Amino acid sequence: MNAVIAAVGIMLVLSLCRVHVVVALIVGALAGGLLGGLGVEGTLKAFNQGLGGGATVALSYALLGAFAVAIAKSGLAHALADKALALVGRQQGEGGGLLKWLLIALLLAVAIASQNLLPIHIAFIPLLVPPLLYVLSKLQLDRRLIACVLTFGLITPYMFLPVGFGGIFLNEILLANVAKSGVDVTGISITQAMAIPALGMLVGLLVAVLFSYRGKRVYDLQKIAQAERVDVQYNPLSLLVAGVAIAAAFVVQLWLDSMIIGALAGFVIFSVSGVVRWKEADGLFTEGMKMMAMIGFIMIAAAGFAEVMKTTGEVKTLVDSAAALIGHDKAVGALLMLLVGLLVTMGIGSSFSTIPIIAAIFVPLGVQLGFSPLAIVCIVGTAGALGDAGSPASDSTLGPTSGLNVDGQHNHIWDSVVPTFLHYNLPLLAFGWAAAMLL
């Protein structure tokens, strides 16, 4: 059996059996390395070499957690939550229907903006979502729905709109690698190439919102009160300082292209202003780092897993095997290329890292099968995006979990990974295949 398929399969099965994702990644990497002929020593060496690749992201998220706790201390997000709670009280007889849709629309809009207008990615989730949990639970909103809404906003904009992270993914990674592999992409409309796959993501979102999770789900309000400050004191000064700190963090991040320095600058402003007292700063910083520690360790382990998969050389073997099965059948070819992309991204956890791995083989194969340049861009782009939703190691699922599970009532695998896999990967696979055949 191909080492990549075995490693990803073992990692997913262990995760579904509620084994911690970090453990599942390590065991999957060991199995893949042994099957790939690296041996125990070679596997561990590759795994250790890859760990450093996730360190920057892990530290960024740890500092982001500290910044999030400082914002919670200021009461900014809780001021928004209090306004929402007041609306819940007024609409109690109507079940808060209007407020429910307003909150869903707010979270969706912020998630979309985090990829393009304000490119902060998942940074907003630990700032905005935990203070709203009490309100969401009073409305008995299913958190699986919120996970689907957030994941849609984190993925669809970058795979369709060439702005912000979308500009990096579509222009600097997708088009650049397709051109590098021998296809002329001059004059190709990237939005046209990815429009049908993006429509598949929209269909998945509508199914989640209108059908799958429209029912009510009861959560323990006492657990939320214990985990998340629901009685935070705030005043105009603390809210003003919070606004300044957020703006400064955003400007510094864009200026230096460093989430680490941006989050640190925001935390320093809170400390200097007195909103966070000096004697409390150390405890709050530690609390915030703990909050995001799980994401950090998973990202580090995922980087090690990815390095083992690359070192085995089995990714190329997997792609070559798919090419051998295809023959000259365009329909089978498109489907197999998308499935390979799904497997690779599910294991690595990053669509941005998947494109360079698969493009070198998929582009010549697409030319050989007679696909147009537009269709080839679509296939490679969709194959890269597949698996970002539904991967236990993807920040598109880890981010929502970090905000929704602060009280321990949202399971990462069954409440984030499985719902997003079903609602996004399956329609993306179908719509991506249809686009390849039509373009």
Side-chain angles (χ1 to χ4, degrees):
M1 176 182 286
N2 182 275
V4 173
I5 296 177
V8 173
I10 289 170
M11 183 267 289
L12 293 176
V13 169
L14 289 175
S15 297
L16 290 171
C17 292
R18 297 183 184 270
V19 174
H20 196 279
V21 178
V22 171
V23 177
L25 283 165
I26 294 172
V27 174
L30 285 171
L34 292 174
L35 285 172
L38 297 181
V40 175
E41 187 176 340
T43 301
L44 292 177
K45 182 180 178 182
F47 189 83
N48 291 334
Q49 285 178 343
L51 295 181
T56 302
V57 176
L59 182 57
S60 299
Y61 289 163
L63 286 167
L64 181 62
F67 185 41
V69 171
I71 289 179
K73 176 75 175 174
S74 76
L76 179 63
H78 291 81
L80 173 63
D82 287 345
K83 293 283 186 184
L85 270 175
L87 287 173
V88 172
R90 289 181 208 155
Q91 297 186 21
Q92 201 67 43
E94 305 167 18
L98 176 61
L99 180 59
K100 166 187 169 181
W101 293 111
L102 285 174
L103 287 173
I104 290 173
L106 169 68
L107 291 171
L108 178 61
V110 174
I112 291 173
S114 74
Q115 301 302 299
N116 304 105
L117 299 177
L118 302 171
I120 55 175
H121 198 40
I122 67 169
F124 75 94
I125 294 176
L127 312 180
L128 182 62
V129 174
L132 290 176
L133 282 183
Y134 195 83
V135 182
L136 296 172
S137 299
K138 286 278 285 185
L139 293 169
Q140 297 183 335
L141 260 174
D142 195 324
R143 292 186 194 179
R144 292 173 296 180
L145 169 60
I146 303 302
C148 287
V149 168
L150 292 173
T151 299
F152 175 88
L154 293 172
I155 294 175
T156 310
Y158 81 67
M159 62 174 281
F160 177 60
L161 300 173
V163 183
F165 287 115
I168 297 172
F169 180 77
L170 295 172
N171 293 323
E172 297 180 25
I173 296 179
L174 176 55
L175 284 181
N177 276 279
V178 170
K180 183 177 167 184
S181 300
V183 168
D184 184 8
V185 295
T186 306
I188 283 183
S189 170
I190 196 70
T191 53
Q192 182 185 352
M194 299 301 292
I196 297 177
L199 180 61
M201 294 289 291
L202 180 60
V203 169
L205 174 67
L206 292 176
V207 170
V209 172
L210 300 177
F211 300 102
S212 301
Y213 306 120
R214 63 180 301 176
K216 295 182 177 181
R217 196 176 189 187
V218 178
Y219 295 92
D220 188 335
L221 296 177
Q222 189 174 357
K223 285 186 178 180
I224 302 172
Q226 291 171 349
E228 170 62 23
R229 302 176 179 86
V230 294
D231 57 350
V232 172
Q233 300 298 315
Y234 52 86
N235 54 56
L237 176 61
S238 69
L239 298 181
L240 176 62
V241 170
V244 171
I246 292 172
F250 175 65
V251 170
V252 170
Q253 180 185 327
L254 290 183
W255 175 36
L256 299 177
D257 193 24
S258 172
M259 191 186 296
I260 294 175
I261 304 302
L264 185 60
F267 191 85
V268 168
I269 289 174
F270 277 119
S271 299
V272 171
S273 68
V275 171
V276 173
R277 297 176 185 173
W278 282 106
K279 63 181 181 181
E280 298 176 337
D282 187 56
L284 283 176
F285 202 87
T286 303
E287 181 185 343
M289 293 183 77
K290 284 180 181 177
M291 181 177 73
M292 299 295 280
M294 185 190 80
I295 288 185
F297 281 115
I298 291 175
M299 297 300 286
I300 289 173
F305 181 97
E307 187 62 30
V308 172
M309 295 304 99
K310 292 175 185 175
T311 305
T312 63
E314 292 286 289
V315 174
K316 185 178 185 304
T317 304
L318 176 63
V319 175
D320 289 342
S321 299
L325 289 172
I326 289 167
H328 297 285
D329 192 324
K330 291 178 69 174
V332 173
L335 180 60
L336 284 179
M337 284 190 276
L338 293 175
L339 287 173
V340 169
L342 172 63
L343 273 173
V344 174
T345 312
M346 287 282 284
I348 294 176
S350 169
S351 53
F352 286 64
S353 299
T354 299
I355 296 291
I357 295 174
I358 63 176
I361 304 296
F362 281 4
V363 172
L365 181 59
V367 172
Q368 181 183 333
L369 289 172
F371 284 109
S372 68
L374 193 64
I376 290 172
V377 170
C378 172
I379 291 171
V380 176
T382 306
L386 267 164
D388 200 358
S391 170
S394 169
D395 47 13
S396 298
T397 56
L398 287 166
T401 298
S402 71
L404 294 169
N405 192 43
V406 293
D407 59 356
Q409 298 189 78
H410 183 88
N411 182 268
H412 176 56
I413 299 299
W414 291 102
D415 294 331
S416 285
V417 171
V418 173
T420 55
F421 180 92
L422 295 175
H423 288 87
Y424 297 128
N425 283 336
L426 298 183
L428 189 55
L429 190 63
F431 280 70
W433 179 84
M437 303 307 296
L438 293 172
L439 293 176

